[in-house]
Amino acid sequence: MKALTKFLVKLPQKFKDTISIAGQEMYLASKFDEFSNRINYAEVVSTPAYYPDTGVEVGDILYFHHHVVIEKTNHFMDDIYTVQYDPNGGYGSHAYAYEKSNGDIFTLSDWVFVRPPEEETEKVVEGIIILEEKKDADHGEVVYANKELTYAGASIGDIVHFSKNSDYPMEVKGETLWRMRITDLLYKRDA
């Protein structure tokens, strides 16, 4: 079968159902934290004919929005799901990036992936008690992006600051990164 306007991916399992603790594999009740346990990547079985220049090939791993696994309209048949794509990006494109068999990752449309900084805390002195409060991060290091980012004046490895609430966590190759649009980036730090 050949997809016309969307990606088709093979997703045999919609939720993570095990967790490893101290080297032991344990069953995970995914309903406990359903959002974090949705699987947001799968093998591509067909690329959209309408968009032939994505760079994605059958067999690549596609990273996508977490709603793909829960919206019934995306369930095509058996373990095949559709993933909406728009080359202009924005929230109309649920396909964010793809991974080649050699491990290289490429972003699609206007999406970038940013590595969160190490957890920052702020010391608050109250009497003789010093409390450490977790600070919300507003910056991170660009890890994956396409040439569109260079047009905006930044590149991979830069530390960028971004708009509030644009840090959407996704697991990419076993690491939690933030997925955001290039337009969510406000500025990069000077070297």
Side-chain angles (χ1 to χ4, degrees), residues 9 20 36 54 56 58 68 88 99 104 129 148:
V9 296
S20 181
S36 295
T54 62
V56 183
V58 171
V68 168
N88 297 316
E99 181 178 347
D104 289 346
I129 299 174
E148 301 298 318

Side-chain angles (χ1 to χ4, degrees), residues 146-157:
N146 57 31
K147 63 183 176 186
E148 301 298 318
L149 182 64
T150 59
Y151 301 144
S155 58
I156 292 174

